[in-house]
Amino acid sequence: MSSGQAIHHRVAQSARLSARPSAKSSGDAWLRWTIGALAVALSAAVVETLAAFRATAEERRRVMPGDRFVSGPMYSTTHAVTIDVPPERVWPWLAQMGADRAGWYSYDRIDNGGRASAGDILAEYQHVSPGDVFPAIPGATDAFVVAAAEPPRDLVLTVPIAGGGTLTSWEFLLDPLERGRTRLIVRARVSPQWRAMAASAPTAAQGHPIFIQRAFGVLGKLPAPLLMVAGGFGHRVMQNQQLRGLKRRAEA
């Protein structure tokens, strides 16, 4: 082989090697593909989860008894779930809700100080009257306040404003369905005054602030468009988990 042929051979061989994907590049491509596939799957799972407890258009338009506590809300959202037991079997789980009580049946590390929500009916919390407090977080003494209670049909919780008015209302309406089932419709309404309250609220009610206290403080400082998106998403995630927990407990 001449020197010219040898050089041509080495150039061609080098070109073939450079065109061949290296183990590292193949590994990077596989990693990118895997991450992309997981992201798509996770996104689909999140969308499916969030849609699972979506109220119907009719339910969202419906005027509910608790709407009167917050007129002209800056934010209102309605969720719903069908539970395969009658309202009389769902109500006891609602009656005992609250931190330092049975919990909220949602993500306990966020809204219940890490304490697991109850898996049984607690007799000591079954009598509910207007003015009773369902602590929003451990140690709270001012919210949520029972504004209306009509067992086993309707429960309205509120966050009152000092001096009068309501910051938020949170209603749990139980509609009886055929075959001994219940349609639980949950609506949250937020007053425009909530934003100023959240931004100026103390960072701790008792000891170190838990996650949800910090989250409210951050949300209150966000521009209005971001507040609607972030706050709405966070509420939906927590609310869906609560409805899932209520359904599982009531049907057990």
Side-chain angles (χ1 to χ4, degrees), residues 3 15 18 44 49 68 83 123 143-144 163 172 184 186 191 193 195 231-232:
S3 59
S18 63
T49 298
R68 69 184 188 274
I83 303 177
F144 291 94
F172 298 78
L184 173 59
V186 183
S191 165
Q193 298 178 70
R195 187 179 178 190

Side-chain angles (χ1 to χ4, degrees), residues 48-66:
E48 182 178 357
T49 298
L50 295 182
F53 300 101
R54 186 175 179 84
T56 65
E58 182 179 354
E59 289 168 339
R60 294 194 298 273
R61 291 192 300 265
R62 176 179 179 176
V63 177
M64 293 173 55

Side-chain angles (χ1 to χ4, degrees), residues 13 44 63 65 76 103 105 115 127 132 145 159 162 164 167 182 200 225 228:
Q13 187 179 40
V63 177
S76 178
Y105 318 125
R115 178 182 175 184
H127 180 73
D132 289 350
V145 176
V159 178
L167 280 174
T182 299
S200 61
M228 294 297 100

Side-chain angles (χ1 to χ4, degrees), residues 144-161:
F144 291 94
V145 176
V146 176
E150 299 179 15
R153 181 69 194 278
D154 192 30
L155 175 66
V156 183
L157 306 179
T158 61
V159 178
I161 301 173

Side-chain angles (χ1 to χ4, degrees), residues 4-50:
Q5 290 175 321
I7 292 173
H8 176 77
H9 176 74
R10 287 195 295 269
V11 169
Q13 187 179 40
S14 176
R16 287 195 300 271
L17 289 174
S18 63
R20 186 183 304 164
S22 67
K24 182 179 185 302
S25 63
S26 297
D28 290 345
W30 173 255
L31 180 61
R32 288 194 297 271
W33 185 92
T34 302
I35 292 174
L38 288 174
V40 170
L42 180 60
S43 298
V46 168
V47 170
E48 182 178 357
T49 298
L50 295 182

Side-chain angles (χ1 to χ4, degrees), residues 200-233:
S200 61
T203 56
Q206 184 181 54
H208 295 291
I210 63 175
F211 175 82
I212 199 167
Q213 290 172 284
R214 298 190 185 99
F216 281 167
V218 171
L219 287 173
K221 296 178 175 65
L222 290 177
L226 287 179
L227 170 61
M228 294 297 100
V229 173
F233 179 79

Side-chain angles (χ1 to χ4, degrees), residues 83-90 175-182:
I83 303 177
D84 294 332
V85 295
E88 292 79 9
R89 287 181 56 186
V90 179
D175 278 344
L177 301 176
E178 59 184 7
R179 300 196 303 275
R181 300 177 301 153
T182 299

